[in-house]
Amino acid sequence: MPEHFTRLNQYRSMWVLVFFDLPTETLTERKMAARFRKNLLHDGFAMFQFSIYMRFSASRENAAVHIKRTKNMLPKKGKVCIMQITDKQFGMMELFHGQKEIPPEPPSQQLELF
């Protein structure tokens, strides 16, 4: 079967990335930042870097659901950026640890129930 007809293909499946810079000066701000991170984890996001979380979605529609959830839990202060890219674009990312290139980890298989 041609790749463009398969249920999961690299152009239809999406990665949602959430970048954030939240204030942590006061105890209340630290609690709000921790709650935001915990909510992202609870929604299936994984930490990519300290303030970058990512989540695989099988389709644009599924990505839109998780983007909407993220928007509903935005903290009152700080900066948050939500970006979505195709699986093909994500696969072209080059990762480095120091000056040594490291192979990207294969995405975990996600089970979707409808």
Side-chain angles (χ1 to χ4, degrees):
M1 180 175 258
E3 183 180 332
H4 64 278
F5 289 116
T6 60
R7 177 163 155 64
L8 294 176
N9 77 42
Q10 294 178 320
Y11 297 99
R12 181 166 161 67
S13 51
M14 304 293 293
W15 284 90
V16 178
L17 290 95
V18 178
F19 306 82
F20 57 90
D21 185 15
L22 303 177
T24 55
E25 298 287 322
T26 67
L27 179 62
T28 303
E29 290 173 341
R30 285 192 295 275
K31 285 183 179 182
M32 296 290 282
R35 185 179 305 132
F36 183 69
R37 285 191 300 272
K38 286 178 184 178
N39 285 339
L40 287 173
L41 291 170
H42 182 70
D43 194 32
F45 283 84
M47 185 169 67
F48 185 67
Q49 289 186 0
F50 290 124
S51 293
I52 303 173
Y53 284 67
M54 63 182 186
R55 186 186 199 293
F56 178 79
S57 295
S59 67
R60 292 179 189 272
E61 297 81 14
N62 184 256
V65 168
H66 294 286
I67 290 170
K68 184 177 179 182
R69 283 185 192 159
T70 303
K71 287 179 180 180
N72 287 336
M73 63 183 170
L74 289 174
K76 293 181 191 243
K77 296 181 181 178
K79 296 179 184 177
V80 177
C81 171
I82 303 171
M83 179 172 69
Q84 56 183 323
I85 59 174
T86 65
D87 190 40
K88 181 71 171 178
Q89 292 167 320
F90 188 83
M92 294 187 307
M93 186 181 339
E94 295 182 69
L95 300 173
F96 296 88
H97 183 66
Q99 293 183 351
K100 182 180 176 185
E101 185 172 6
I102 57 173
E105 293 182 20
S108 60
Q109 187 66 29
Q110 288 234 205
L111 176 64
E112 290 196 27
L113 302 174
F114 294 94

